[in-house]
Amino acid sequence: MVEAAATLQGELIASESEFEGLKQIYTDNNVRVRSIRARIEELKRQLEKIGGKGENTSAPAEGQEEALYPSIRRLPLLGVPYADLYRRTRVQEAVFES
């Protein structure tokens, strides 16, 4: 997930620089300018969805219970419970196999 966010951020930076170059050559009504502007907005939306921009990290916001993956901002908070659950699972597997 971190790699996906980094890839999106890289694409966003490249698209923004391309947009600045196109703005110097074409008007705002040009199809290439509008296309790259739409791409930039979509990349920003995807980054906000992954990164949880403005999200409260202590409690899940309404509507985020349905999210498939937690945001990057919540990952450190989820690390300890995950490690604890993983440890319990491994202990139970060892007991079951014995």
Side-chain angles (χ1 to χ4, degrees), residues 9-28:
Q9 185 68 37
E11 289 180 21
L12 178 63
I13 292 169
S15 295
E16 286 175 340
S17 66
E18 182 180 353
F19 176 68
E20 290 301 319
L22 288 174
K23 273 186 9 180
Q24 293 176 1
I25 299 171
Y26 302 107
T27 65
D28 288 340

Side-chain angles (χ1 to χ4, degrees), residues 1-43:
M1 182 150 61
V2 174
E3 186 177 330
T7 301
L8 283 175
Q9 185 68 37
E11 289 180 21
L12 178 63
I13 292 169
S15 295
E16 286 175 340
S17 66
E18 182 180 353
F19 176 68
E20 290 301 319
L22 288 174
K23 273 186 9 180
Q24 293 176 1
I25 299 171
Y26 302 107
T27 65
D28 288 340
N29 292 330
N30 186 282
V31 69
R32 293 175 72 184
V33 173
R34 289 186 307 190
S35 173
I36 197 73
R37 187 182 301 136
R39 176 160 173 73
I40 289 171
E41 292 303 317
E42 179 60 28
L43 289 169

Side-chain angles (χ1 to χ4, degrees), residues 68-87:
L68 186 58
Y69 298 109
S71 70
I72 291 176
R73 293 176 191 250
R74 291 196 40 124
L75 288 180
L77 296 173
L78 297 174
V80 173
Y82 171 78
D84 187 43
L85 290 171
Y86 181 75
R87 181 185 51 80

